[in-house]
Amino acid sequence: MKKYISFMVILLWVSCTTEEVLENEITTATAIILQEKESTATQESSQRTIEDDIEVFRSQMEWTAFITAEVLAESNTIVGQNSSIMTEINNAIAVYGTVIPIQALLGNQSNYTNFKVAFKEQFLAYYIGDCRPNFGVQRPPNSALLSDNPPPPEMPESSQNYQVWAEGFATSFINQITNENCIELYIPNGIEYGDPPNGPFPIGGSPDIQNYIVGAHPLTTQTSGGPGWEILPEKPKITLCSSYMAARSNVLSSLNTTFYNVIIARPYRDQNVGCNYISINVTDFTLYLQ
């Protein structure tokens, strides 16, 4: 049975044990982080029902959809485009249709290497850069918080020790959304790309690139009206935030998800791997935004 272990616990643990992690290789650092998280888990017979944990789970899904959309939008807005990422997602849609398991995209057996690398880089860009959000409680923001999370190690990003820390930190988040929980992306309209801007992003200004509507299942019985965001690839990036694409809040409904590129993260139950979600009073997660 899966649990939603607070991501903030991992963040604080990473901050407090940075010196120890820096002495290990990448694989060792990753193993330590994951082992520590497992040691703090409650037993399977007492799945958490604390509202904060459900909120963290919802936040993790929202960030998953948000970062996925940004990776795709970014690959479409740069000169020359990153066609490998676009091709991989097109292939995933061809295989899975409108519902793609996160495990398939980001798990250990993923066949979508370019997307996985780009997802990790975007995740780290938010945490390391000037626009670090609070992944534990803050949803994808319209304005950025600068100091909610402990900072990364104070050393050159090119150093091996820094790369060890970064790999372990990103892997710990991906483990949450691929192994600890069963999450899928609902992409009802597929993904349509447009012609990239005539100049390097963020100058932009191409009306042919579609906006992205993103969000996550609210983990309640409501079937519409949850919080969401509209990512605006044609707009310049936020000043001083080189990794933050322009976006605005939105309310998700079956009407406003009829258009644009829509990416909604939601849980699914899988008894075989322990994704029971007995503490979430939702009979069918697929009813949201249908």
Side-chain angles (χ1 to χ4, degrees):
M1 184 179 304
K2 304 291 180 177
K3 303 96 181 163
Y4 335 126
I5 305 301
S6 173
F7 192 52
M8 291 303 295
V9 173
I10 297 175
L11 300 184
L12 293 174
W13 182 87
V14 171
S15 178
C16 294
T17 61
T18 297
E19 291 184 1
E20 179 181 352
V21 171
L22 295 180
E23 296 174 356
N24 295 283
E25 299 296 332
I26 290 178
T27 54
T28 304
T30 302
I32 289 174
I33 291 174
L34 301 183
Q35 182 180 6
E36 175 69 11
K37 191 195 70 55
E38 290 173 358
S39 69
T40 61
T42 56
Q43 295 187 357
E44 291 184 356
S45 60
S46 57
Q47 180 177 5
R48 293 190 182 189
T49 58
I50 302 173
E51 183 63 25
D52 286 347
D53 294 325
I54 292 178
E55 177 64 18
V56 168
F57 181 38
R58 182 165 48 231
S59 177
Q60 289 175 348
M61 289 193 296
E62 289 168 343
W63 273 106
T64 299
F66 195 82
I67 292 175
T68 297
E70 281 207 307
V71 167
L72 298 183
E74 186 80 14
S75 70
N76 190 200
T77 52
I78 59 176
V79 173
Q81 307 185 56
N82 192 335
S83 59
S84 59
I85 292 175
M86 297 159 65
T87 298
E88 287 182 349
I89 295 302
N90 287 340
N91 290 341
I93 291 174
V95 172
Y96 295 99
T98 60
V99 180
I100 305 177
I102 288 295
Q103 177 73 23
L105 293 176
L106 299 175
N108 293 333
Q109 305 302 317
S110 171
N111 293 320
Y112 309 99
T113 305
N114 293 288
F115 173 79
K116 185 174 180 179
V117 170
F119 186 97
K120 278 187 175 182
E121 290 177 349
Q122 188 66 25
F123 170 83
L124 287 171
Y126 268 109
Y127 186 76
I128 294 171
D130 293 331
C131 297
R132 287 184 287 115
N134 186 333
F135 283 96
V137 297
Q138 183 187 348
R139 293 186 172 93
N142 241 350
S143 59
L145 297 182
L146 303 181
S147 58
D148 286 320
N149 287 329
E154 294 184 1
M155 59 183 63
E157 293 185 20
S158 59
S159 68
Q160 181 181 4
N161 287 338
Y162 191 98
Q163 296 304 314
V164 167
W165 172 86
E167 176 67 16
F169 182 75
T171 299
S172 67
F173 178 75
I174 289 179
N175 180 67
Q176 286 283 303
I177 61 177
T178 57
N179 296 326
E180 290 300 317
N181 291 294
C182 297
I183 301 174
E184 60 191 14
L185 295 180
Y186 175 49
I187 309 178
N189 307 328
I191 301 295
E192 293 187 12
Y193 302 99
D195 294 331
N198 295 323
F201 195 82
I203 296 175
S206 173
D208 296 326
I209 299 177
Q210 285 204 35
N211 293 350
Y212 287 75
I213 302 294
V214 301
H217 194 289
L219 303 182
T220 67
T221 56
Q222 69 188 91
T223 58
S224 185
W229 295 266
E230 184 174 2
I231 295 178
L232 311 170
E234 78 280 5
K235 301 292 185 182
K237 291 186 178 181
I238 303 299
T239 304
L240 301 179
C241 300
S242 61
S243 61
Y244 186 67
M245 189 170 286
R248 61 189 175 201
S249 60
N250 205 334
V251 177
L252 299 180
S253 69
S254 56
L255 176 61
N256 66 19
T257 55
T258 303
F259 310 99
Y260 303 119
N261 292 327
V262 177
I263 301 178
I264 306 298
R266 67 190 185 193
Y268 63 91
R269 291 184 170 90
D270 186 345
Q271 304 291 343
N272 294 327
V273 294
C275 292
N276 299 313
Y277 298 125
I278 59 174
S279 62
I280 301 177
N281 186 28
V282 177
T283 303
D284 187 352
F285 293 116
T286 67
L287 297 179
Y288 186 60
L289 299 178
Q290 294 295 308

